[in-house]
Amino acid sequence: MKVQNLITERSVAAGEPQWLKEKRLEAWQKFQEIPLTDTDNETWMRTDISKLNLSEIIENTVTSIEPSAFSLQPSSNNGIIFTDIKSALFKHSDIIKKYFLTKYPLTDTERFLSLHTALWRDGVFLYVPSNSALKTPFRIISNMKSRAGNFPHSIIIVEKGGKASIIEENYSADNGSQVLMGSMVEVFVGEDAELNYSYVQNLELNAYNIPIRRVYVEKNGKINWTQVDVGGRLTKSFTEITLKGRGSSSNVYGIVAGSGKQHFDISPVIYHQVEETKGNVLIKGVLSGSARSVFQGLVKIDKAGRKADSYLANHNLILSEGARADTIPKLEIDIGDVSASHGATVGEIDSDQLFYLMSRGLSAAEAQEIIVNGFVEPIILNIDSEELREKVRNIIADKLK
Amino acid sequence: MTKGIAGIGEDYKYGFKTPEKYVFKSKKGLSKEVVEEISHLKGEPDWMRKFRLKSLEIFLKKPMPWWGGDLSDVNFDDIYYFIRPSDKQGRTWDEVPKEIRNTFDKLGIPEAERKFLAGVGAQYESEAVYHNLKEEWKKKGVIFLDTDTALKEYPDIFKEHFSTVVPPADNKFAALNSAVWSGGSFIYVPEGVHIEIPLQAYFRINAQNMGQFERSLIIAEPGSFVHYVEGCTAPIYSTNSLHTAVVEIIIKKGARLRYTTIQNWSKNVYNLVTKRAVAYEDATMEWVDGNLGSKVTMKYPAVFMHGKGAKADILSLTIAGKGQNQDVGGKVIHMAPHTSSNIVSKSISQNGGRSSYRGLVKVLKGAHGVKSNVKCDAMILDDKSRSDTYPYMDIDEKRVSIGHEATVSRVTDEQLFYLMNRGLSESEAAAMVVSGFIEPIVKELPMEYAVEMNRLIQLQMEGAVG
């Protein structure tokens, strides 16, 4: 049966509203019309996904009857709603319709954005009403077991003056065949609101990981985003933060720790749309084996972005002969009265540091581990859970041994 | 801000035109016939004619670049591809036709030659009208000719090196140049010869809808040194002209070459240039690239470091004013161990101008011990202007040290306040801040250009800050 018919059938069977079914079909149509990502397309030119068997994954996805890979503990108190998106679709359909994929995409992610929109299933809905605050982080754990694609869609809304924290962990089981994680998160941070989002993925090596994140921040709102990418055969992540309100700010921190033949392509975009906004991006890569990382960061400041202040940085430690790092920190500045800068470095471990530690009785391997820990620790400290911080330290240490 | 720093627009003092009295002017547009005609008029060997025709095919097949400046207004059918200004080339300025000589007098070239230079070439439209190298350098075996004459007089050296650095298929505009090239400089510096004062070439477009396609080839034998300076200007027309040059440089073991460009085309010129050097063991290539004029410039001087210990320095100074898009930068390809590179780019955007730094640092596997530093600073002087930075770093080797920094800033109130406190007017203060910003590059320019640059900035900053 044709994919289109299966999408319709599944949407109807799930009791989805008409508008959502139409959105899926429209996206599927669009997905088929967009040409394959090729090397002329700058977004994909350094990341080769030709080995990803997309048609098989799509087919398996639309015929799959496997249960959800997502787990969360639903809760609601003081008006805070934390639930799976399917229930939210029925209980809070007006909010979902208002926020679900209504914004225009910034960069050329359209092909996977369309695929995601056509096939999405599961995900999380978090709604934090005005002036509510919850100290304990909300946890989302995704343990992907299927043989196909996973396309969870999450919507996070923090209303005016609200505060919240989210922890998302992605894992998978290696059952020998390729799997695709095509998640998407839409985040809306209201006026004077603040959200911490910590993301850690340690997928198995059969997984292709192409997450799309869209974050919109209103006046004086703040997003702290931390992402740790350790696993997966290939990761291509799009994290786009739009600073829409005056005085809004964002911090994006990231770690890439690769070994073997892993490939990571991290593309954060900070888009300053109005005046007095603040952006800060710091992504650190540690690469061993013949792992490869690509950083394509972009700071974009609109004409209206007077007094914007933005910093974009990418630093890479190369631990082995075969590893490789490409870094492209771009600035597009449309107005004079701003402060924008970037920095990027690629290099091996400083031999003086190594020598110093070894002269104090450490083996070369131990000394390297300490230096790498020191390199990534400032990023790890931004994860909002001591338990997860410790887990990440261990994962990275094991990985680079 | 009322005026531009770069002295373009109403203050562009090189915008005068000279009446056209040409020996030959091809008909507008590009075709196989036009290419055959150029080759025939030049009396070239057959291999060159074939090379041109093959390049034309490549040009027609290649798409326009999808990145960089807006080229949608370039009409390849509306360009004159070949204009022969004079039927013979002068060895003294007296032998140059009077109108053309007057042009170069106004540009100050003969005077500069007497004062500062070891040799001068002057190209007017498609071909050189004057070429001279001082006797003492001729005696040492230095060759400094226009490229057409070099093909006739030194066919072997020419054929051995021509198109080995920039093949026609490199990009659409290299292919175009390969098909219709005419003029340019040919320089050969024998082993161990140090030419202490610069050689200069001056390129002038005079006709409307002109396409200038000079092609330069420079060969520095082991242990030699030369500093080559090129300047360029054109009259102001309401229609577009095209300048598409190719420059190929070969620097052999231990030699050093400095190539300084002061690009000051009028604002109706599309300047789409491919410049590339190959540096062998312990050789040094220095690009000093000043871009003040033109409508759209796309130019990324490159150094391919083939030999170990080779060095590359790229200094780029860009000023983008009203209606201008300067898309410039540099490329360094580290192919051998212990090679080093340093790129410094300074740009100023004002009056709605757009300047972009686009650069590449590439380190191939096996090129260990590479050091590379890139620093891009941009200054945006008003709210209408734009600055972009696109630095690409592809690093395929572990034992390297690669760094990149960039900042975008403006003249701050604190800086102005501080200087005005010390008795400077606001425009003097602004000019001083801008001069300080570009000083690290200006000091590398030949003296007469450095003086001119500072004068322009002072002049143009009057009433500039509001």
Side-chain angles (χ1 to χ4, degrees):
Chain A
M1 204 192 282
K2 281 172 72 185
V3 173
Q4 189 182 327
N5 299 343
L6 287 163
I7 291 172
T8 311
E9 201 172 84
R10 288 168 81 96
S11 180
V12 171
E16 288 177 358
Q18 184 72 11
W19 67 265
L20 187 53
K21 190 184 82 188
E22 279 162 16
K23 197 155 203 153
R24 286 182 186 277
L25 291 172
E26 190 192 327
W28 175 249
Q29 194 60 38
K30 216 166 150 199
F31 170 75
Q32 290 171 295
E33 284 161 13
I34 304 167
L36 280 167
T37 51
D38 54 46
T39 49
D40 280 349
N41 173 338
E42 178 146 25
T43 310
W44 286 97
M45 142 178 191
R46 283 147 206 273
T47 294
D48 179 10
I49 51 163
S50 59
K51 292 208 178 85
L52 173 66
N53 192 343
L54 203 51
S55 53
E56 197 180 307
I57 280 175
I58 291 169
E59 199 169 305
N60 288 344
T61 305
V62 289
T63 54
S64 156
I65 47 158
E66 285 173 68
S68 165
F70 251 77
S71 61
L72 61 93
Q73 302 208 301
S75 61
S76 61
N77 54 24
N78 300 331
I80 292 174
I81 306 163
F82 184 57
T83 175
D84 70 280
I85 197 150
K86 203 170 162 189
S87 335
L89 197 55
F90 298 109
K91 281 195 217 149
H92 312 282
S93 59
D94 292 350
I95 306 180
I96 300 279
K97 197 175 172 184
K98 185 175 161 200
Y99 287 100
F100 183 84
L101 277 175
T102 51
K103 308 286 178 184
Y104 185 76
L106 259 185
T107 55
D108 185 18
T109 60
E110 282 216 50
R111 195 159 190 268
F112 280 89
L113 185 62
S114 298
L115 184 64
H116 172 91
T117 309
L119 302 183
W120 76 273
R121 191 184 151 206
D122 304 325
V124 167
F125 177 70
L126 172 64
Y127 181 83
V128 180
S130 285
N131 300 318
S132 299
L134 211 74
K135 277 218 154 137
T136 342
F138 295 94
R139 285 191 94 121
I140 308 166
I141 297 172
S142 158
N143 204 342
M144 191 161 60
K145 291 192 188 78
S146 85
R147 293 178 163 272
N150 276 256
F151 299 92
H153 191 97
S154 297
I155 294 178
I156 316 291
I157 301 163
V158 186
E159 296 279 18
K160 186 174 176 182
K163 275 197 174 64
S165 180
I166 294 177
I167 288 172
E168 181 187 344
E169 293 167 74
N170 285 357
Y171 307 101
S172 68
D174 192 346
N175 50 22
S177 62
Q178 275 184 354
V179 293
L180 172 65
M181 182 56 146
S183 64
M184 179 159 185
V185 184
E186 294 185 276
V187 177
F188 302 87
V189 180
E191 198 176 321
D192 292 312
E194 187 174 340
L195 177 71
N196 286 317
Y197 199 114
S198 311
Y199 163 91
V200 175
Q201 69 87 353
N202 191 15
L203 298 163
E204 291 298 326
L205 290 173
N206 60 325
Y208 281 67
N209 183 34
I210 307 179
I212 299 171
R213 294 95 180 217
R214 295 273 153 79
V215 181
Y216 306 91
V217 192
E218 303 291 341
K219 187 176 167 192
N220 294 328
K222 188 172 183 188
I223 174 88
N224 294 312
W225 181 279
T226 308
Q227 55 186 47
V228 177
D229 286 285
V230 182
R233 166 70 190 80
L234 180 148
T235 289
K236 168 85 178 164
S237 80
F238 299 94
T239 306
E240 289 180 5
I241 297 188
T242 305
L243 299 170
K244 294 174 66 187
R246 184 171 178 164
S248 56
S249 66
S250 68
N251 287 310
V252 175
Y253 300 108
I255 295 174
V256 167
S259 66
K261 287 184 178 160
Q262 284 184 289
H263 181 106
F264 299 88
D265 184 340
I266 306 294
S267 308
V269 175
I270 309 296
Y271 186 14
H272 298 261
Q273 282 187 335
V274 296
E275 56 194 353
E276 291 173 9
T277 51
K278 229 176 146 167
N280 177 32
V281 175
L282 174 59
I283 307 288
K284 290 188 164 186
V286 186
L287 302 166
S288 69
S290 51
R292 181 176 175 194
S293 83
V294 179
F295 169 83
Q296 309 194 59
L298 172 66
V299 167
K300 190 170 159 58
I301 305 180
D302 266 3
K303 278 252 174 292
R306 193 184 296 273
K307 303 216 184 300
D309 182 349
S310 207
Y311 185 63
L312 181 64
N314 173 233
H315 300 295
N316 298 285
L317 265 186
I318 310 279
L319 303 181
S320 69
E321 288 295 335
R324 164 167 184 186
D326 294 355
T327 171
I328 309 162
K330 303 184 210 177
L331 304 176
E332 290 183 353
I333 318 286
D334 242 335
I335 185 172
D337 189 6
V338 299
S339 158
S341 55
H342 61 194
T345 56
V346 181
E348 58 183 334
I349 286 183
D350 185 37
S351 53
D352 290 349
Q353 291 178 3
L354 211 54
F355 177 77
Y356 176 85
L357 291 170
M358 285 166 74
S359 72
R360 266 142 191 80
L362 296 179
S363 71
E366 287 165 336
Q368 174 172 311
E369 194 181 325
I370 286 176
I371 292 168
V372 170
N373 286 346
F375 182 69
V376 295
E377 182 63 20
I379 308 281
I380 293 176
L381 287 175
N382 293 296
I383 297 171
D384 197 7
S385 151
E386 177 49 34
E387 181 203 334
L388 189 56
R389 283 196 291 269
E390 196 50 33
K391 197 166 172 183
V392 167
R393 287 182 195 113
N394 292 333
I395 292 173
I396 292 176
D398 282 351
K399 176 110 194 164
L400 300 171
K401 250 180 196 141
Chain B
M1 180 132 318
T2 54
K3 287 179 183 175
I5 283 175
I8 30 206
E10 66 231 284
D11 292 322
Y12 185 67
K13 64 177 183 176
Y14 311 106
F16 59 87
K17 324 171 169 71
T18 306
E20 295 187 17
K21 285 187 187 169
Y22 299 128
V23 176
F24 177 83
K25 187 171 182 176
S26 71
K27 61 175 198 289
K28 267 187 187 173
L30 183 61
S31 62
K32 211 176 150 199
E33 289 68 43
V34 168
V35 172
E36 294 262 17
E37 191 168 34
I38 293 171
S39 188
H40 174 72
L41 281 166
K42 289 178 180 293
E44 287 174 349
D46 202 43
W47 72 265
M48 184 57 81
R49 191 182 62 90
K50 285 183 181 145
F51 172 83
R52 287 179 184 275
L53 291 170
K54 199 184 102 211
S55 302
L56 177 66
E57 274 174 35
I58 296 170
F59 167 74
L60 294 173
K61 267 188 227 146
K62 284 229 170 214
M64 293 289 268
W66 50 269
W67 43 273
D70 178 7
L71 304 179
S72 57
D73 217 16
V74 176
N75 183 355
F76 291 110
D77 296 329
D78 200 31
I79 298 282
Y80 294 106
Y81 285 84
F82 183 70
I83 295 178
R84 175 165 280 179
S86 157
D87 48 13
K88 75 174 177 55
Q89 195 183 101
R91 290 287 163 200
T92 69
W93 285 103
D94 290 338
E95 291 167 26
V96 177
K98 192 162 163 268
E99 280 90 4
I100 300 178
R101 190 173 72 227
N102 285 344
T103 300
F104 285 102
D105 272 335
K106 278 192 215 169
L107 297 170
I109 306 303
E111 191 193 350
E113 180 179 12
R114 283 193 300 276
K115 288 186 187 157
F116 312 111
L117 302 165
V120 163
Q123 178 162 341
Y124 195 79
E125 316 295 18
S126 298
E127 289 188 331
V129 291
Y130 173 84
H131 239 278
N132 189 36
L133 175 66
K134 283 185 179 156
E135 204 53 45
E136 74 172 294
W137 302 110
K138 272 190 207 160
K139 276 188 202 148
K140 289 185 175 158
V142 176
I143 303 169
F144 179 44
L145 290 170
D146 70 282
T147 311
D148 294 303
T149 307
L151 172 59
K152 289 200 179 75
E153 294 185 8
Y154 300 93
D156 296 340
I157 309 181
F158 191 99
K159 201 173 172 187
E160 186 190 336
H161 297 98
F162 180 81
S163 188
T164 57
V165 182
V166 179
D170 187 79
N171 65 74
K172 189 172 181 73
F173 294 99
L176 176 61
N177 175 282
S178 301
V180 297
W181 75 270
S182 181
S185 296
F186 177 87
I187 302 172
Y188 177 84
V189 191
E191 186 160 353
V193 174
H194 280 235
I195 310 178
E196 284 124 23
I197 50 177
L199 298 175
Q200 178 169 328
Y202 203 93
F203 297 90
R204 174 76 180 174
I205 291 178
N206 182 61
Q208 196 164 358
N209 294 86
M210 176 60 194
Q212 193 174 56
F213 304 98
E214 92 268 9
R215 177 142 192 148
S216 295
L217 177 57
I218 304 179
I219 301 151
E221 290 290 346
S224 64
F225 168 73
V226 62
H227 181 190
Y228 172 76
V229 183
E230 64 175 4
C232 33
T233 57
I236 300 160
Y237 291 112
S238 56
T239 57
N240 298 320
S241 295
L242 182 59
H243 174 253
T244 298
V246 166
V247 175
E248 298 182 280
I249 296 177
I250 295 148
I251 317 164
K252 297 191 183 166
K253 190 175 173 179
R256 175 173 156 232
L257 195 138
R258 172 172 278 213
Y259 191 116
T260 300
T261 303
I262 307 295
Q263 182 271 105
N264 199 5
W265 293 115
S266 53
K267 272 204 263 179
N268 55 309
V269 176
Y270 283 90
N271 184 45
L272 310 167
V273 172
T274 309
K275 290 184 161 169
R276 187 172 301 164
V278 170
Y280 290 96
E281 197 176 333
D282 295 325
T284 302
M285 176 66 210
E286 300 164 1
W287 292 106
V288 180
D289 202 33
N291 290 292
L292 314 178
S294 82
K295 181 176 188 172
V296 173
T297 285
M298 287 173 70
K299 176 168 57 164
Y300 322 96
V303 186
F304 284 64
M305 285 168 276
H306 277 271
K308 71 169 198 275
K311 268 185 72 179
D313 265 309
I314 300 175
L315 301 178
S316 172
L317 171 64
T318 304
I319 300 175
K322 190 176 176 191
Q324 290 186 293
N325 183 352
Q326 307 275 20
D327 201 283
V328 300
K331 295 203 282 190
V332 287
I333 319 291
H334 293 266
M335 304 163 81
H338 301 292
T339 48
S340 60
S341 62
N342 186 30
I343 300 179
V344 179
S345 161
K346 299 254 182 188
S347 73
I348 295 170
S349 308
Q350 56 161 358
N351 252 330
R354 176 175 177 188
S355 63
S356 304
Y357 169 82
R358 198 179 296 275
L360 170 68
V361 173
K362 197 172 173 73
V363 181
L364 301 192
K365 195 160 271 325
H368 54 84
V370 162
K371 285 198 173 76
S372 175
N373 259 307
V374 179
K375 190 162 167 44
C376 302
D377 294 326
M379 199 173 241
I380 308 180
L381 296 187
D382 57 56
D383 290 349
K384 293 177 289 182
S385 307
R386 169 165 181 181
S387 166
D388 304 317
T389 314
Y390 303 101
Y392 292 76
M393 280 156 273
D394 293 358
I395 314 302
D396 205 355
E397 171 60 44
K398 173 197 172 201
R399 285 168 290 162
V400 297
S401 157
I402 309 296
H404 174 97
E405 290 172 67
T407 61
V408 177
S409 60
R410 68 171 330 196
V411 180
T412 63
D413 293 342
E414 287 83 356
Q415 288 167 327
L416 290 181
F417 180 75
Y418 178 86
L419 291 166
M420 285 163 71
N421 245 333
R422 268 136 191 86
L424 297 182
S425 73
E426 194 174 357
S427 65
E428 285 167 338
M432 185 170 281
V433 174
V434 173
S435 293
F437 174 72
I438 61 172
E439 162 68 16
I441 305 221
V442 169
K443 72 171 197 240
E444 297 296 329
L445 295 177
M447 175 71 94
E448 68 275 22
Y449 286 110
V451 171
E452 174 78 357
M453 191 75 74
N454 280 325
R455 193 190 64 80
L456 278 173
I457 285 167
Q458 257 142 33
L459 200 70
Q460 303 310 324
M461 290 305 282
E462 277 168 25
V465 177

